[in-house]
Amino acid sequence: MDTGTDTEPETTDAPTFPPGFCWGVATSAYQIEGAWDADGKGPSTWDVLSHRPGGLADGATGDVACDHYHRLDEDLELMARLGVTSYRFSVSWPRVRPTGRGPWNPHGLAFYDRLVDGLLARHIDPMLTLYHWDHPQALEDDGGWLNRDTAERFAEYAEGIAARLGDRVHRWITINEPLSVVHAAMNGSSRLDGPLRQHALAMAHHLLLAHGLAAQRLRGLTGRGRRMEVGIALNLSGMTPASGRYADVEAAGRAEAYEDRLFLDPLLHGRYPRVEGIPVVRCDPADNTVIAAPLDFLGVNWYAPARVAAAPSEPFGYTRTPLPDTAANMLGWPIVPAAFGGLLRWLRAQYPDLPPVHITENGMPLPDEVDAGGAVRDEERIGYLRGCLVQLRAAIDAGLDVRGYHVWSLLDNLEWEHGYRPRFGLVHVDFTTLERTPKASFEWYRRLIAAQSTGEGPPCHG
Ligand code: FCB
């Protein structure tokens, strides 16, 4: 591995972390793989959506994306060069089980075998996400997450993947950002009132149930050389009221209940939050027990805080408002790394029995271009990531048990409905030639990882 460390000591202006801390990057299948119908893969919901007129921005699709499916070795080499000890990726459900309930696809499974083996050969620990939003269209046709049966199909899928890869993969994330799944499904409906609000909450419940049922199956495979650590990745913001007015403070409470606590409370406290203005989630009490089985770790995706004002005409009675005097990134998210610390403090205060935390995503979108000299100067991204790491280190010093950190993302990729313009990668991708060019942030992160003390034991034992 070429880290350039042989002669010169590494220097970095970012903090150092405890030995064994996992340093990683994150991606997801639909956003990077391409090969949308190769080797027996079935269509996913995102394939179908992106192929529809007016589907994604600029007519983007994930048909080719970064073509990671065919460029796996090159991307593995990039990670080895970066020196990460952990790689968070997702399995495309329709690649391995095209209709979600029929036969398995041996070619799809073979791809993930190669990926996992390629990581282990480079001493990179795989962190596998089972569901990063791209489920088989065949399941969507039967109601998708509004249908409780999807949770059962998900548990089957989890068990199948774990039976295949569980001898080599120890860290499992069931579902990425269930809240975003609910929001994406509800897009296109301008209002979430009446039955739609109930639908949102029913979907949330089925996603949590899917997590719980899958976790049971994964844990059932522990032993015989398998060590299964199971977590879920939640997108949390941290809410601040727009003013001290009662209405805004109350609105922030509702936003917190619907966005931050809707998943945390059932997972960690065994019950849904009860807040005036948010309908009650009705479910079989036995489901709550399945959902609340102890997590081995909690994945936290964090990008920006939210400032909330009362808005009685909105479905849950609140709206997000811009932070005064605060710059926003190209997706309109306020750039406030210091607020990461606030969210972590909130988490610890609200959930004293919190399991160990992994930061499963953190990053910044920029329009990055390769300059005439062949460089990509993304200093703003470096500043943002550094700021977030300072907050993370302070949270660890204050007692929060954090085991790892994953930059979103290794590569520029398909940013869902926004298409290819927002670039989050440490590596620039030219979407015409598919050429990869490491950015300044890649070099910065490489040096940061190289400067960490490795201590005793395996490089990443989070
Ligand atoms: C998160 C998603 C991830 C990526 C980042 C920017 O919400 O999990 O796939 O799109 O946002």
Side-chain angles (χ1 to χ4, degrees), residues 27-28 31 88 132-133 176-177 180 235 301 303 331 333 361 408 413-416 424:
T27 63
S28 88
Q31 294 177 277
R88 176 179 177 225
H132 203 121
W133 307 354
N176 178 68
E177 299 192 357
S180 303
N235 48 318
N301 295 353
Y303 292 89
L331 289 173
W333 307 344
E361 287 181 27
W408 183 271
N413 60 48
L414 175 58
E415 180 46 30
W416 306 109
F424 277 90

Side-chain angles (χ1 to χ4, degrees), residues 298-341:
L298 175 71
V300 174
N301 295 353
W302 191 86
Y303 292 89
R307 182 168 180 265
V308 175
S313 63
E314 290 298 319
F316 293 113
Y318 71 87
T319 187
R320 289 177 175 226
T321 63
L323 274 77
D325 307 320
T326 307
N329 69 32
M330 65 187 288
L331 289 173
W333 307 344
I335 305 171
V336 199
F340 189 28

